[in-house]
Amino acid sequence: MSTVRTRFAPSPTGYMHIGGMRTALFNWLWARHNGGQFILRIDDTDQERNVAEALEPIFRAFRWLGLDWDEGPDVGGPHGPYYQSQCGDLYQAAIDRLLADGHAYRDFEPPAETQRQREAAEKEKRTYVNSRQSLELSDSQRSDLVAQGTPHVVRLLVPRDRKVAIDDVVRGHVEWDCALMPDPVLCRSNGTFLYNFATVVDDARLQISHVIRAEEHLTNTAVQALLHEALGNPLPVFAHIPFITAPGSTKKLSKRDLQKLRSSPQLKKLFDRADEVFPKLGLGDSTALSPVMVEYYERLGYLPAGVLNALGRLGWSLDDKTEYFSRAELVAGFTLDRIVKKPAGFDADKLASYQAHWMNQLSLEEKLAGCRPFVDAMVEREGWVVPSEETLPKLIAALGDRLKVFSDVLDYPEFFVLDEKLVRDEKAFRQRVIDTPEAKAILSGFVAACPSEESFDVAACEQWLHQFAEAQGLKLGQIVHAIRLSVTGRPAGVGLAETLALLGRERCLTRLNEALGHVA
RNA sequence: GGCCCCAUCGUCUAGAGGCCUAGGACAUCGGAUUUUCAGUCCGAGAACUGGGGUUCGAAUCCCCAUGGGGUCACCA
C-alpha cells in the first residue's frame, strides 16, 4: 500500500478553533499511525489580512500540542508551494487543461441573470441548475467575446446524465444525482479561483491519500470527486468526521455565538474563569480568548496531554473501557474505522477529568515549571511579593490533587501577598470568627501557644494544633475554621498545618492578631 | 424547501443477530475516610426515538415515520 499522506488546511483566521484542532489531530494521528506524512497547507486565497500574523496562533497551537508537520510552512517540502496564494499558475494550468478537454467551459452569463434564475427556481420550488446558455456559442463567437475582454467565469461541465459516488470511510457509500447539480464555478471573472477547485488541485498535487475533514464538507465532495475525475486524478480516500457541537446543543460549536455559549452552564465556568484570570495576566478577557480557541487552554495552564486526550476521545474510541491516552497511545491505537458518526458535544467536565488525570502524572518539578510563570506574572502585575525559594515547591506539594490547572496557583494569594493586603472572605470570616463566641478565646490561646521560631515547620505546626486543641478540651474541627479564616481569609485550602508552616511564624502571628482585632 | 448525513444513560461512548436482566467513563446523588477543600474507597439512579418487517432470536439487518443536523455563493 502506498504512503499515507494527510493534510490540514487552515485559513489564516487569527486563532485556532478547538473543533478544527480535533480535525487536525485526526489527520495527524492517521499519518503518524501509518508512518506517513502530515502536511500543513495554508488556504489563504482571500489575501485581505496580514497572513503571517493571522497564522501565528495556529502554528502556536500545533506546537503547543506537539503536532508536527512534515511538509508546509517553515519546514518546506518537495511538493510546495504550501500557500494557496502562491499557486495561481498551477490552478490556471489546470483550468486550461479542463477547458481544452471540454470538461469546463467559459460562462458569459451576467451574475445578475444567474441570480434571477436561481430565485425563479426557488420560487417555483424547482431545483436550480444553471442554464448553460454559453454552451450554445460558436467557437468564433466565444473567441470574440474573450478577445473583447467580456467578463466570464469558468465552470465545470457536470455530466448531468449520471451520478457521482464516494465510499466514505466513516459514512459509507454516498451518492448524488448529477442532474441536480449546478455547474460549479471554478474560476471567478476576476481570474481568481474557488476553494472547491483549488483544494482538488492541491490535494492531487500534494498526493494526499486521505482527506479527513468535518462532515460539513460532505456535500462539497460531490463536486470535488467530479473534479478529480475530470483532472484524471486518483480519488483520495474520504473520511467525513462529525463536527463538534456546543455542550447541550446539537449545533456546530462556533465562535459566532459566544453569547449563547456563555450561557451554557458547562461552559459558563470556563468563561468565568477566563474573566477572572486573563485580566490579571494582561491577556484581555473571555472575548479575546474564549473556550472555543485552543489558546484559551494553553494560557490558562492546561496540559497538552489533557486537551489531546479530550480531543482524541471526542468522536473516537478504542474500545469499551480505555479512557486515558497519551499522545503515543493515541497514535498507536487510532484508526479511521473507529470514528463515531454522530456529532459529539464538547464536554468541559470530561476535559477537566482528563486534565486532572494528566496533571497527577507530573513530577513536582514539572508542576513547578508550569506554575511559576503564573506567579511571576502576578508578581509583575498584581503586586505579589516575590516568594522565597522554597515557598512555591512547598505550596505545590501541599496542593497535591487540588492543582488541576497551572493557573490554579492564582487561587492561593494568601501565600504571596503582604499581611496588610490579605483579603478575607467576608461572609465566611464573619461566620467563623466574628459571630463565633469562642473564636476570641481560641485565637488568643492559639497565639499564646505558638511554637518558637527555630522549629516552625509542618510537624511543629501539626503539634501546635493538636496540643492546643487537647489543652482546650476541643476537637480539631472546632478550632480549625477560626484559625484558617484568620490566617488565609478563606474557608478552604491546603492542610492547616502546611498552611501555617508555609506562612511562617511571623506572618501567622500577625494575621492571627489582626483577626483578633475584629472580635469584641 | 431540494439534496445529503445522523439517532444507545444528562454527556462521551461499548455494542458489527444470541455473550445484553445493554458494559465503561464523566457528571449527579448517597455512604465511608478526613481538620476545611480537593482526593480516595464503596454504593445508587440513569439509555437502545416510534412503527412495521426479516429471523427460532434484533440495540444490532431492511422499510417507513419522527426528530436532529449539514449544505445549497463568482465564501473557505
Side-chain angles (χ1 to χ4, degrees):
Chain A
M1 159 159 187
S2 55
T3 325
V4 167
R5 288 170 61 85
T6 63
R7 48 77 167 172
F8 184 68
S11 30
T13 51
Y15 68 94
M16 187 66 215
H17 190 272
I18 192 80
M21 199 73 240
R22 206 261 318 230
T23 303
L25 173 64
F26 281 16
N27 275 281
W28 183 86
L29 287 172
W30 186 236
R32 292 288 168 266
H33 179 81
N34 292 287
Q37 287 101 46
F38 174 64
I39 294 127
L40 214 49
R41 182 220 303 160
I42 308 304
D43 281 12
D44 57 345
T45 44
D46 73 40
Q47 295 162 30
E48 297 298 307
R49 45 190 135 224
N50 183 336
V51 174
E53 196 178 301
L55 241 25
E56 200 34 53
I58 294 169
F59 296 148
R60 183 189 177 100
F62 273 82
R63 294 195 190 100
W64 181 59
L65 290 175
L67 306 189
D68 54 339
W69 54 99
D70 302 293
E71 295 172 32
D74 293 349
V75 301
H79 302 274
Y82 296 92
Y83 287 82
Q84 286 194 331
S85 58
Q86 299 168 11
C87 297
D89 293 347
L90 266 20
Y91 303 143
Q92 190 55 55
I95 288 282
D96 292 344
R97 232 170 74 218
L98 255 15
L99 245 16
D101 293 348
H103 287 303
Y105 63 98
R106 298 181 197 277
D107 184 5
F108 298 91
E109 189 173 271
E113 171 60 17
T114 306
Q115 183 61 22
R116 215 209 83 239
Q117 290 181 22
R118 200 192 314 275
E119 279 161 13
E122 195 171 327
K123 201 169 291 173
E124 295 166 36
K125 294 187 182 329
R126 205 179 66 225
T127 305
Y128 166 78
V129 283
N130 58 307
S131 72
R132 289 183 168 175
Q133 279 290 305
S134 298
L135 243 30
E136 311 296 317
L137 265 25
S138 69
D139 285 353
S140 66
Q141 283 175 310
R142 203 182 340 263
S143 42
D144 284 353
L145 284 167
V146 173
Q148 289 159 23
T150 313
H152 62 277
V153 298
V154 176
R155 290 183 189 269
L156 176 72
L157 186 64
V158 171
R160 288 190 183 158
D161 56 344
R162 64 174 183 90
K163 298 182 172 189
V164 234
I166 58 160
D167 289 294
D168 191 282
V169 186
V170 351
R171 308 282 145 185
H173 185 84
V174 184
E175 62 177 30
W176 298 267
D177 187 350
C178 294
L180 272 22
M181 290 165 64
D183 297 329
V185 173
L186 272 21
C187 180
R188 297 185 185 90
S189 51
N190 69 5
T192 60
F193 308 92
L194 276 98
Y195 164 80
N196 252 345
F197 171 67
T199 295
V200 167
V201 174
D202 286 329
D203 284 344
R205 174 174 61 92
L206 296 171
Q207 296 171 24
I208 302 303
S209 65
H210 294 73
V211 173
I212 303 168
R213 51 157 52 153
E215 76 172 283
E216 62 216 67
H217 287 284
L218 186 55
T219 314
N220 282 334
T221 310
V223 170
Q224 295 187 11
L226 248 21
L227 266 169
H228 271 122
E229 205 179 296
L231 254 9
N233 302 328
L235 205 59
V237 175
F238 290 101
H240 285 93
I241 66 180
F243 48 81
I244 295 183
T245 67
S249 153
T250 45
K251 294 198 175 62
K252 220 165 52 164
L253 177 65
S254 154
K255 78 275 180 186
R256 282 195 195 85
D257 24 48
L258 274 188
Q259 282 316 316
K260 261 180 232 151
L261 292 178
R262 187 180 294 273
S263 60
S264 132
Q266 240 199 19
L267 244 35
K268 187 174 185 308
K269 286 181 268 184
L270 301 189
F271 276 102
D272 288 349
R273 188 64 178 162
D275 286 331
E276 189 186 343
V277 170
F278 288 148
K280 291 181 189 165
L281 302 174
L283 292 172
D285 56 16
S286 63
T287 320
L289 286 176
S290 82
V292 305
M293 307 178 194
V294 177
E295 192 174 350
Y296 167 98
Y297 302 94
E298 181 201 349
R299 299 288 194 179
L300 226 37
Y302 279 78
L303 256 17
V307 172
L308 232 27
N309 202 152
L311 253 25
R313 276 290 282 101
L314 215 50
W316 177 83
S317 73
L318 178 69
D319 54 29
D320 59 341
K321 40 182 62 95
T322 317
E323 291 289 341
Y324 299 113
F325 294 88
S326 66
R327 185 171 30 233
E329 286 163 342
L330 282 173
V331 168
F334 185 81
T335 52
L336 297 177
D337 61 321
R338 302 228 22 115
I339 293 175
V340 176
K341 290 184 174 69
K342 194 173 67 152
F346 177 71
D347 188 342
D349 288 332
K350 198 98 183 211
L351 167 62
S353 97
Y354 290 124
Q355 169 65 25
H357 174 265
W358 290 106
M359 183 62 87
N360 288 338
Q361 309 295 306
L362 259 38
S363 68
L364 182 63
E365 286 68 32
E366 290 168 314
K367 288 184 184 177
L368 192 57
C371 290
R372 183 156 274 147
F374 289 97
V375 175
D376 289 348
M378 291 300 277
V379 168
E380 196 172 319
R381 305 179 47 90
E382 298 282 318
W384 278 19
V385 174
V386 179
S388 74
E389 199 56 33
E390 65 270 23
T391 300
L392 196 51
K394 281 185 178 170
L395 171 61
I396 290 170
L399 243 29
D401 291 338
R402 293 175 188 81
L403 186 78
K404 311 287 189 206
V405 167
F406 291 134
S407 61
D408 286 347
V409 273
L410 301 184
D411 293 337
Y412 300 87
E414 57 264 34
F415 300 107
F416 302 95
V417 299
L418 263 11
D419 296 332
E420 58 269 30
K421 290 254 181 79
L422 182 70
V423 178
R424 294 206 178 89
D425 177 327
E426 230 175 283
K427 200 176 148 203
F429 186 66
R430 174 175 306 279
Q431 188 198 339
R432 294 299 196 176
V433 179
I434 299 175
D435 292 347
T436 298
E438 313 81 57
K440 186 172 187 174
I442 292 171
L443 292 179
S444 56
F446 193 63
V447 167
C450 184
S452 66
E453 180 66 55
E454 304 81 69
S455 61
F456 204 88
D457 57 12
V458 177
C461 291
E462 198 76 54
Q463 209 181 12
W464 180 18
L465 282 165
H466 281 99
Q467 282 180 353
F468 173 71
E470 207 171 313
Q472 300 293 306
L474 296 170
K475 285 189 173 166
L476 223 39
Q478 294 172 281
I479 64 165
V480 143
H481 300 290
I483 297 171
R484 179 188 296 284
L485 260 309
S486 298
V487 132
T488 69
R490 303 189 311 116
V494 303
L496 190 50
E498 282 86 350
T499 299
L500 296 169
L502 221 31
L503 285 170
R505 185 171 191 272
E506 205 185 307
R507 278 195 287 177
C508 285
L509 291 178
T510 307
R511 292 178 185 189
L512 285 164
N513 282 315
E514 201 277 336
L516 229 20
H518 291 276
V519 291

